[in-house]
Amino acid sequence: DKAKVRAAGALDGLTPHVATVDLPGRGRYYRLRVSPPAGQDRTEFCAALVRKGSACLLAHDGGG
């Protein structure tokens, strides 16, 4: 929910996948993964999230 508020609409309508990771000595972290809306460049989508104050890293899906 915090990510949706910070993204100011950029995540609306997208299907999230949340992964939980426990890092020894650092605590529990949550990773949110989404695909950009159809027709939107993933690099620009990520850049838009960063401009709104979110961290964003491009992930490779392993496809060709």
Side-chain angles (χ1 to χ4, degrees):
D1 289 336
K2 288 179 184 180
K4 283 185 82 169
V5 170
R6 184 177 295 139
L11 299 175
D12 291 352
L14 302 180
T15 302
H17 172 76
V18 178
T20 304
V21 179
D22 290 312
L23 299 177
R26 296 187 64 196
R28 179 168 284 177
Y29 287 78
Y30 299 92
R31 178 177 293 152
L32 169 67
R33 293 186 78 171
V34 295
S35 294
Q40 185 171 2
D41 179 76
R42 64 191 202 120
T43 301
E44 177 51 37
F45 177 69
C46 193
L49 290 174
V50 170
R51 285 191 299 271
K52 293 177 186 219
S54 295
C56 184
L57 297 171
L58 295 175
H60 297 282
D61 62 10

